Amino acid sequence: MVDVYCVKWGKKYNRDFVEKLKDSIEKHLSVNHKFKCFTDRPEKDYDIPITHPDLRGVWHKLSLFQFKGQCLFFDLDIKINDNIDFLASEFDKFTVIDSTPWKKEKLRTLLINNDTLVNSSIMRWSDNTKILEKFLKKRDLYLRLYSGIDRFIFNEDIKYKYFKGDQISSWQEGNENNTIVLYNGKYV
């Protein structure tokens, strides 16, 4: 059984984003799975109350690493157009998205701007409790150092790999028909 997570915190995204993601996953993920929404406003039977209320925004994604098993995470601002069973394997390695295709022109300034080629809009793991523990030990420092978890993962020697293939793309690439389209940065 694959546990599929999303995070809804605050008012940036309304419940419609959760329902749309849930419907898309049910339509396009054929392996046995259970959808769960990690939220500060539980109202549905699949909602799980956030466990670290002192965190804000994207940092709640790290709280998901308290869960073990076959875990998949999706941001709310994505569109799924086709079968995503390719995501439901190799849970033993922490897996994220390679954002190089839409950040090619930024490659020279990555180190100067503390930017990253890691994108956590979709993540896969089986046991990432050590990442959560590392973050919580120096939480205040990491919150000041990094504007989000992508930079934390990239700069803090977290072991990860990238999803294989070209089935995930960003709206910034202009391919709205790919299997999965990320709308990263569009709803800022």
Side-chain angles (χ1 to χ4, degrees), residues 12-23:
K12 182 175 181 180
Y13 299 103
N14 63 38
R15 181 55 73 162
D16 293 342
F17 279 87
V18 177
E19 294 301 320
K20 184 178 176 183
L21 177 63
K22 182 179 184 295
D23 292 346

Side-chain angles (χ1 to χ4, degrees), residues 119-131:
N119 181 286
S120 61
S121 293
I122 302 172
M123 298 185 290
R124 177 176 59 204
W125 73 94
S126 62
D127 182 356
N128 274 355
T129 53
K130 288 182 180 178
I131 297 173

Side-chain angles (χ1 to χ4, degrees), residues 67-166:
F67 303 113
K68 298 178 184 179
Q70 295 184 332
C71 304
L72 273 175
F73 165 82
F74 293 87
D75 272 349
L76 293 175
D77 58 347
I78 69 166
K79 183 171 95 176
I80 302 172
N81 294 312
D82 207 342
N83 185 282
I84 58 170
D85 288 353
F86 69 95
L87 297 174
S89 64
E90 300 180 39
F91 287 92
D92 58 321
K93 304 282 189 202
F94 176 43
T95 310
V96 293
I97 300 166
D98 180 2
S99 61
T100 303
W102 63 88
K103 290 187 176 179
K104 288 178 185 170
E105 53 285 339
K106 293 183 179 181
L107 286 175
R108 287 188 210 125
T109 61
L110 271 178
L111 296 176
I112 297 168
N113 295 328
N114 192 26
D115 208 345
T116 175
L117 296 177
V118 167
N119 181 286
S120 61
S121 293
I122 302 172
M123 298 185 290
R124 177 176 59 204
W125 73 94
S126 62
D127 182 356
N128 274 355
T129 53
K130 288 182 180 178
I131 297 173
L132 177 59
E133 289 166 2
K134 177 179 180 144
F135 170 76
L136 291 174
K137 281 181 187 173
K138 296 182 181 179
R139 183 197 69 188
D140 294 338
L141 172 67
Y142 294 136
L143 290 175
R144 284 192 302 274
L145 280 176
Y146 306 118
S147 61
I149 75 164
D150 297 352
R151 287 165 181 85
F152 169 75
I153 292 166
F154 187 74
N155 290 294
E156 291 300 323
D157 198 31
I158 305 294
K159 302 295 182 221
Y160 62 87
K161 70 176 189 172
Y162 292 128
F163 287 105
K164 296 175 187 168
D166 59 357

